Amino acid sequence: MTTALKWKLAGGFLLVFLAGAVMGSLAGNWLGHGLFFGPPRRGALAQHMSERLRNELNLTSEQSAKIAPIIKQAASKLEAIRTDAGHRVHQTLTETNLQISPELTPEQRTKLAALEERHRKRQGRHRGFRNARPPEPPPNP
């Protein structure tokens, strides 16, 4: 192996390493903002809203203190809306599955039940608010 080839290989490895570091940094930044792993923890929305307004509008500490209760109330309302919407989506999907179940063969019903169970476990692991078991599909007529 020639010296020039060794330098080219070292440069190639360095470029791959740098590309990985840049992508890791971007992915970490993206994941760190809660954009991938579901909803933020309770209270994080109010904190995020406060920080963003303070930074973007250059608020004084007096202004921040005055608007803090307003932001907290708005964040609470938004979290309630998000939770309600999640429950409504879950209810609609459950009702849909119950309505289509009579049209399925017994094998398809079994697969549908397995899909629901897998989805329920996944949601429970990531969101934590769906621990109730969905209703069983009606028996085969």
Side-chain angles (χ1 to χ4, degrees), residues 90-138:
H90 176 69
Q91 180 182 3
T92 301
L93 292 175
T94 300
E95 290 170 3
T96 301
N97 288 344
L98 288 173
Q99 289 173 353
I100 67 171
S101 185
E103 306 300 325
L104 303 176
T105 66
E107 181 182 331
Q108 290 170 326
R109 281 191 201 108
T110 303
K111 288 181 180 180
L112 180 62
L115 286 172
E116 289 175 340
E117 180 68 17
R118 195 169 52 219
H119 179 74
R120 186 184 63 79
K121 285 181 180 179
R122 185 174 39 232
Q123 291 301 97
R125 191 171 49 229
H126 291 297
R127 302 248 162 84
F129 70 86
R130 283 195 199 129
N131 292 327
R133 224 188 167 107
E136 295 293 323

Side-chain angles (χ1 to χ4, degrees), residues 13-77:
F13 284 122
L14 180 64
L15 285 175
V16 169
F17 174 78
L18 290 174
V22 168
M23 291 304 295
S25 173
L26 292 174
N29 191 22
W30 182 57
L31 294 174
H33 288 299
L35 299 175
F36 184 74
F37 289 114
R41 65 190 184 283
R42 187 164 291 293
L45 183 58
Q47 181 181 358
H48 174 74
M49 289 171 67
S50 295
E51 288 175 6
R52 183 163 184 168
L53 288 173
R54 187 176 60 244
N55 292 335
E56 295 288 331
L57 302 177
N58 297 319
L59 298 177
T60 66
S61 48
E62 182 179 302
Q63 289 173 314
S64 293
K66 284 182 180 179
I67 67 170
I70 299 167
I71 291 173
K72 187 174 181 180
Q73 183 181 22
S76 178
K77 286 180 182 179

